[in-house]
Each structure stands twice: as structure tokens, then as C-alpha cells.
């Protein structure tokens, strides 16, 4: 018998395929910018060893708008972050959601990145149970793709939480745009994949993988 999450995953992939027919390169998160910076982990008690240690890692990131609506409209904000750990790439994908329960399980639209609360939406599997990751801007709102200032410095605080529990600070992220030869903010063809490039020591639940694997496989084509 097919698992229900596999069926839902196939339905999502079907809808994704329709969009891909019109946007073959990037069906979603079409508008984005390339960023670089540093991930600082200050220690936590999440049950994920990598997250619970101290580390300072260089990162490459992409800030994007999911649906590709006109820039003046709100859109789902996405932040993909890549770093090297254990000689392999690790990708963390965050999207704009609510911050409290139950809103942290629903996508929300915003005009700029600074007002958005970004979460992993789906939990990771830690030694003590399910763990959500989240980030929020501290300081100046950097804008959004197509409105991101070339001189912007985007500072975020990082958090972890159980699905129904409070957020606990565990680090920070500082990002700046990567400029082209003309000093302009640029996008990147780089693709991020949390299923192929998993976070170190963070396991995935079978149901979260089944929900996403069909769409991600289609996106790689």
C-alpha cells in the first residue's frame, strides 16, 4: 500500500511539473540574488550535534521570491544557505512562515526579507526528537531581490525549536551581496538541494523526504 505522504508528494510534483512546463529553468524561486557570508554557531541543546557545537563557517546563499510575482507585490521569501562540513556540501533551506504555533507551519508572503520570519517548515530528526530551524533579521531590512542594496549587510539570528516549543537562539548569519563586474547585485545558476546535501548529523524523517523527493527529482532534470 502506498504511503499517504508519497501520494501527496506525487501530487505536489504533478503541480510542480505544470509550472516547470512554463518555467523550465526555475519553476519556483525565479527571482533571486547571490550572497556570501559567515555562519556562526554558538552552541545549543537541540539534540543535533552539529548545531549544538561552536563553529564559524563561510557560506554561499541565495535570497529569492518563490512565485515570481511583480516586485511590488508580496511573495514567499526563500533563503538557501550552503556551507562545507565533513568535506561535503550542506544545504539549509528556509522559507517565510509564521513564527508562533500554528503559523510556523504555513507559508506567508512579504515584500522584503527583513520583515519575514524564515523557518525550515519541516522538522529535522534530532536525538531528542523533532527540531525546526528558524532565522529572523536583526537591524536594517536589506530589501528583497531586485531591491537589494549593493552595500547591504544582512544580519540574522538563528534559532531552533521543537515543533510546538519556544525558539532558542543558537547562532547568527551575516550575508552581503556578491556583485558583478559592474558593481551590480547578481543572481546565480547555483541550485540548492537539502535532500542531496543534508545537514551534518541532522537526520530527515521518512515522511518529509517522501513529500519532497518527487518534486526535487523533477527540479534536477
Amino acid at each position: 500500500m502506498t504511503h499517504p505522504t508519497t501520494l501527496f508528494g506525487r501530487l505536489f510534483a504533478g503541480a510542480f511539473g505544470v509550472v516547470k512546463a512554463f518555467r523550465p529553468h526555475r519553476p519556483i524561486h525565479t527571482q533571486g540574488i547571490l550572497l556570501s557570508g559567515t555562519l556562526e554557531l554558538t552552541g545549543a541543546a537541540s539534540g543535533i550535534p552539529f548545531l549544538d557545537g561552536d563553529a564559524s563557517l563561510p557560506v554561499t546563499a541565495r535570497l529569492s521570491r518563490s512565485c515570481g510575482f511583480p516586485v511590488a507585490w508580496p511573495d514567499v521569501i526563500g533563503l538557501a544557505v550552503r556551507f562545507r562540513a565533513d568535506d561535503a556540501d550542506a544545504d539549509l533551506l528556509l522559507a517565510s512562515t509564521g513564527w508562533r504555533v500554528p503559523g510556523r507551519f504555513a507559508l506567508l508572503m512579504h515584500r522584503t526579507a527583513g520583515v519575514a520570519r524564515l523557518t525550515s517548515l519541516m522538522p529535522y530528526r534530532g536525538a531528542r526528537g523533532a527540531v525546526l530551524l528558524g532565522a529572523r533579521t536583526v537591524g536594517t531590512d536589506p530589501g528583497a531581490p531586485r531591491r537589494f542594496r549593493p552595500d547591504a549587510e544582512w544580519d540574522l539570528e538563528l534559532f531552533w525549536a521543537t515543533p510546538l516549543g519556544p525558539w532558542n537562539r543558537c547562532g547568527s548569519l551575516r550575508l552581503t551581496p556578491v556583485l558583478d563586474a559592474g558593481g551590480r547585485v547578481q543572481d546565480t545558476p547555483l541550485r540548492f538541494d537539502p535532500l542531496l546535501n543534508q545537514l551534518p548529523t541532522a537526520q530527515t524523517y521518512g515522511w518529509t523526504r517522501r513529500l519532497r523527493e518527487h518534486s526535487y527529482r523533477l527540479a534536477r532534470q
Side-chain angles (χ1 to χ4, degrees):
M1 181 178 176
T2 304
H3 197 280
T5 52
T6 299
L7 293 176
F8 280 114
R10 289 173 178 169
L11 287 173
F12 294 152
F16 187 85
V18 172
V19 179
K20 187 176 175 65
F22 295 93
R23 296 175 176 173
H25 179 59
R26 285 192 189 273
I28 59 175
H29 296 284
T30 57
Q31 304 168 3
I33 60 168
L34 177 63
L35 305 161
S36 66
T38 304
L39 168 66
E40 299 279 353
L41 296 176
T42 56
S46 68
I48 297 175
F50 168 76
L51 193 65
D52 295 344
D54 294 327
S56 179
L57 299 168
V59 301
T60 297
R62 184 176 187 259
L63 173 67
S64 60
R65 288 162 53 88
S66 177
C67 300
F69 293 142
V71 69
W73 297 10
D75 205 336
V76 174
I77 304 295
L79 177 63
V81 180
R82 174 171 294 176
F83 55 89
R84 295 286 293 179
D86 299 330
D87 295 323
D89 287 335
D91 290 347
L92 170 62
L93 269 61
L94 304 173
S96 55
T97 69
W99 198 242
R100 299 178 180 177
V101 178
R104 63 179 63 166
F105 304 108
L107 294 171
L108 298 178
M109 295 191 291
H110 299 280
R111 289 187 175 86
T112 64
V115 298
R117 300 295 187 262
L118 305 165
T119 77
S120 59
L121 191 62
M122 295 186 186
Y124 291 94
R125 186 174 186 172
R128 300 186 182 91
V131 175
L132 292 170
L133 299 181
R136 66 184 183 189
T137 299
V138 290
T140 304
D141 187 337
R146 298 187 181 179
R147 288 184 172 177
F148 208 96
R149 301 190 316 276
D151 61 346
E153 292 185 350
W154 188 17
D155 291 317
L156 301 103
E157 292 180 313
L158 299 181
F159 297 83
W160 73 272
T162 62
L164 303 180
W167 291 103
N168 305 276
R169 192 179 186 279
C170 60
S172 62
L173 190 62
R174 168 164 283 192
L175 299 170
T176 57
V178 178
L179 307 181
D180 64 15
R184 296 177 294 268
V185 175
Q186 62 179 324
D187 200 354
T188 173
L190 186 65
R191 295 181 180 274
F192 299 80
D193 192 321
L195 299 185
L196 291 181
N197 305 319
Q198 297 188 43
L199 293 186
T201 71
Q203 304 298 316
T204 56
Y205 287 96
W207 66 269
T208 64
R209 176 172 287 275
R210 288 189 293 267
L211 281 174
R212 298 188 292 181
E213 61 184 351
H214 299 288
S215 296
Y216 277 97
R217 187 180 303 118
L218 186 60
R220 297 181 202 122
Q221 297 175 4

